[in-house]
Amino acid sequence: MSDFAMEAARLVEMLPEAEQSFAVAVIEKLVMAWDPDYTKLTEEEARHLEAAEKSGFLDERDIDWSQVGQ
């Protein structure tokens, strides 16, 4: 977790429980406005995806599933 996210969590945790719920609801609305279908990648996720793509993994479409386990 980034330092910024940890600071945000620390600040939210300082609030009374009712206000914590409100803060989380606001954050959820911000995330949904930014990425309503959860398809965008964070910078960290993009780095992991790029590393995986360069690792030589196989796409499931390239596997003959009828031959697996034989």
Side-chain angles (χ1 to χ4, degrees), residues 25-44:
V26 169
I27 292 168
E28 287 174 346
K29 288 185 183 293
L30 288 171
V31 170
M32 290 301 292
W34 173 70
D35 187 10
D37 55 2
Y38 292 103
T39 58
K40 293 182 182 178
L41 299 177
T42 64
E43 290 179 17
E44 182 179 1

Side-chain angles (χ1 to χ4, degrees), residues 9-34:
R10 186 186 68 75
L11 291 170
V12 169
E13 195 168 66
M14 291 172 50
L15 296 169
E17 192 171 326
E19 281 75 13
Q20 286 180 12
S21 296
F22 176 74
V24 169
V26 169
I27 292 168
E28 287 174 346
K29 288 185 183 293
L30 288 171
V31 170
M32 290 301 292
W34 173 70

Side-chain angles (χ1 to χ4, degrees), residues 44-62:
E44 182 179 1
E45 290 170 332
R47 285 192 300 274
H48 286 294
L49 179 61
E50 183 178 357
E53 288 174 340
K54 291 180 179 179
S55 72
F57 76 98
L58 296 174
D59 188 297
E60 69 176 322
R61 292 173 290 191
D62 298 332

